[in-house]
Amino acid sequence: MATPHVAGAAALLAQRHPEWTAARLKDALISFGVTVDGQKVTEQGGGRIDARAAVLGAVSATGTLAPPTVRCSRRPP
C-alpha cells in the first residue's frame, strides 16, 4: 500500500515545485520520512511520508546518497 501514498505525495510535491528534478523530489520525500517507534528499518523502510511537511516545509537535508561509479579493470574469468 505504500506505492499509491508515495505517488500521491510525489505528485503534490511536484505540483508545488515544478522545477524540481525527480532526484530532488525523492530527496525531499525521504528527508521528511518519519520513523515509527518500535519498528526496524526492515519493517518500515524510510518511514512514513509526512506529505504536509514535505509540501509546506523547506528541505534542509537530503535523504539519499549517490555513490561514485566504480570501474573494474579486471575482466572476470
Side-chain angles (χ1 to χ4, degrees):
M1 282 304 299
T3 303
H5 294 259
V6 174
L12 291 171
L13 199 56
Q15 183 178 18
R16 174 107 171 159
H17 303 283
E19 73 283 1
W20 284 11
T21 63
R24 186 159 182 196
L25 290 170
K26 179 181 175 183
D27 282 345
L29 290 172
I30 292 172
S31 295
F32 283 101
V34 178
T35 56
V36 180
D37 291 335
Q39 287 193 341
K40 301 174 189 171
V41 70
T42 55
E43 298 169 337
Q44 69 175 338
R48 292 185 185 154
I49 290 178
D50 186 347
R52 183 175 192 271
V55 171
L56 299 178
V59 179
S60 60
T62 114
T64 58
L65 174 68
T69 303
V70 177
R71 300 194 191 281
C72 182
S73 59
R74 272 182 46 191
R75 291 174 79 73

